[in-house]
Amino acid sequence: MSYDIYAEKIILNYEHPHNKGILKGANTHFKEYNQVCGDEIEVYIIINNKKIKDVKFIGRGCAISMASASMITDFIKGKSIKEIEQYNGDIIKNILGIDPGPVRMKCATLSLRAIKEAIERYKIKK
Ligand code: FES
């Protein structure tokens, strides 16, 4: 795919985000802030049999952070929590299809950090 197609995909996910909202029955959630700009994303997750059964998010942020949240929440459904614990910025670059660069990486990984922390909280409760 060309760079333009990836950029278009990011804009589409920003304007029409998937999995937006509060998830009823979530058994873990976490709100993460981007320390640089103060934007925030809160994720709600249902974990069942050590896998992501469902996930939604709320919050505000720039196009990269919102598009990334939309795409990563689609991506992790059905994945095991063990697998997600290994994810880092590289998975976000793959999902977005571009390297957002060092400054925008904090925006791009905001939702992933929230997801990983929510999983951590879930494990502590168990
Ligand atoms: Fe705030 Fe990107 S500028 S999350």
Side-chain angles (χ1 to χ4, degrees):
M1 269 198 268
S2 76
Y3 184 87
D4 283 352
I5 291 171
Y6 284 121
E8 201 174 303
K9 204 170 117 189
I10 289 168
I11 291 164
L12 266 176
N13 274 271
Y14 170 59
E15 289 177 345
H16 308 284
H18 306 169
N19 312 308
K20 193 101 192 266
I22 294 174
L23 181 60
K24 273 192 184 163
N27 49 16
T28 187
H29 67 102
F30 190 76
K31 188 192 281 186
E32 177 73 344
Y33 297 87
N34 183 343
Q35 314 260 321
V36 179
C37 63
D39 289 336
E40 59 190 38
I41 287 181
E42 184 164 16
V43 296
Y44 296 84
I45 306 175
I46 297 175
I47 299 173
N48 193 16
N49 279 336
K50 299 183 180 169
K51 286 187 175 172
I52 305 298
K53 190 173 172 215
D54 205 358
V55 54
K56 282 184 182 278
F57 75 97
I58 56 170
R60 62 184 163 81
C62 61
I64 289 279
S65 68
M66 292 292 114
S68 172
S70 171
M71 290 191 243
I72 189 83
T73 48
D74 273 347
F75 185 77
I76 64 168
K77 283 182 193 172
K79 300 269 187 319
S80 74
I81 58 175
K82 205 170 180 178
E83 193 176 339
I84 295 164
E85 283 169 340
Q86 309 305 314
Y87 292 167
N88 56 27
D90 290 341
I91 196 85
I92 298 294
K93 286 183 204 168
N94 285 344
I95 290 170
L96 291 175
I98 56 161
D99 182 345
V103 177
R104 297 304 233 150
M105 206 53 192
K106 283 220 183 297
C107 306
T109 56
L110 184 59
S111 49
L112 177 61
R113 296 197 307 276
I115 289 164
K116 289 176 84 167
E117 193 55 43
I119 290 172
E120 214 38 56
R121 305 254 156 160
Y122 171 82
K123 285 167 66 183
I124 290 167
K125 275 194 292 184
K126 285 278 145 187

